Amino acid sequence: MKTVIVTGFGPYLEEAQNPSGAIAQAIHGTEKDGVRIHGLVLPVSAGAVRALLEEEVRRLRPDVLIVTGVTRGRVAVAAERVAVNVMDFPIPDVDGRAFIDEAVIDDGPAAYFSTLPIKAILQAWRDRDIPAYVSNTAGTYLCNQTFYLACHLASSLPMRAGLVHIPLSSAHAAASPTPIPSLALETMYEAVLTAALISANHEGADLKLQAGMTC
Ligand code: PCA
């Protein structure tokens, strides 16, 4: 049995309800295709995420660590390619802290690539009619920070790590007076579950699947 940790985030200034946290809660305890999934909801707190991630990884020794978060305005699910060693927060975190141009890890590499099989995940999403793409920027806020920390941990462990970004849920968007891109929570749950199963079970090199962008 393989072990996958899926994290989501709790609420923060921009999102009073965070679908990534709801999915992490709902997916906790799922067993499928020889994979056991542990869900964990992280606070949107720059000061808290590192210790929480390290503790969970030490406790469970997972094969895969997938961080998930919401991205208002995005139209599809995204497998993020790269985490950068920068915290340049557009809004404060839940502790009221807003870092400007600080490193996630002092003296860490400028960036880490996701070690999830992002193209195999993209193919599996396409096969399930889930609107999705490979994104080349995870921003410079908590999701990027946590993604970077996950990759940093994975760099010295037999563990894959990466970030899946999701849009707002359609229930949330339906309550908005102005139109916002969204997907059904069930679709995003399926996307995260698929990413977890593919990441745990894909063997060998990633697929060669065209998913680049001009900008
Ligand atoms: N999304 C934010 C942080 C928490 C979340 O769910 C981000 O994309 O950085």
Side-chain angles (χ1 to χ4, degrees):
M1 188 67 90
K2 296 210 166 147
T3 301
V4 177
I5 296 175
V6 170
T7 72
F9 281 104
Y12 61 109
L13 261 188
E14 207 170 46
E15 307 304 342
Q17 306 141 16
N18 195 326
S20 70
I23 290 169
Q25 258 172 347
I27 212 166
H28 179 73
T30 301
E31 286 188 15
K32 201 179 171 194
D33 298 350
V35 179
R36 180 177 296 131
I37 303 178
H38 291 261
L40 172 69
V41 181
L42 296 170
V44 180
S45 162
V49 285
R50 185 175 185 176
L52 290 169
L53 268 193
E54 284 177 357
E55 195 181 304
E56 197 74 340
V57 167
R58 203 177 309 118
R59 192 169 73 83
L60 297 170
R61 305 234 156 260
D63 300 282
V64 180
L65 170 56
I66 300 183
V67 176
T68 74
V70 68
T71 47
R72 174 174 285 257
R74 287 204 185 171
V75 297
V77 173
E80 294 290 348
R81 191 192 299 266
V82 58
V84 293
N85 193 11
V86 174
M87 294 194 290
D88 191 4
F89 287 5
I91 50 173
D93 70 3
V94 293
D95 304 317
R97 298 166 85 193
F99 295 88
I100 299 175
D101 297 347
E102 289 194 35
V104 177
I105 302 271
D106 287 332
D107 304 321
Y112 283 109
F113 285 125
S114 172
T115 50
L116 305 184
I118 54 174
K119 299 294 182 71
I121 292 169
L122 181 64
Q123 183 63 60
W125 285 339
R126 287 179 177 169
D127 292 345
R128 287 162 181 74
D129 292 339
I130 297 172
Y133 67 114
V134 168
S135 163
N136 297 300
T137 176
T140 54
Y141 191 48
L142 253 296
C143 282
N144 172 73
Q145 181 196 353
T146 311
F147 177 23
Y148 187 95
L149 289 169
C151 291
H152 190 70
L153 269 176
S155 68
S156 60
L157 292 171
M159 176 178 86
R160 288 177 161 166
L163 169 63
V164 170
H165 256 144
I166 59 173
L168 286 179
S169 73
S170 42
H172 189 167
S176 162
T178 51
I180 342 174
S182 64
L183 285 176
L185 197 60
E186 299 72 39
T187 304
M188 302 197 288
Y189 176 91
E190 194 189 350
V192 172
L193 176 61
T194 302
L197 300 180
I198 299 282
S199 298
N201 289 329
H202 184 82
E203 285 174 8
D206 199 359
L207 302 185
K208 287 271 182 210
L209 180 70
Q210 198 160 43
M213 292 185 187
T214 51
C215 63

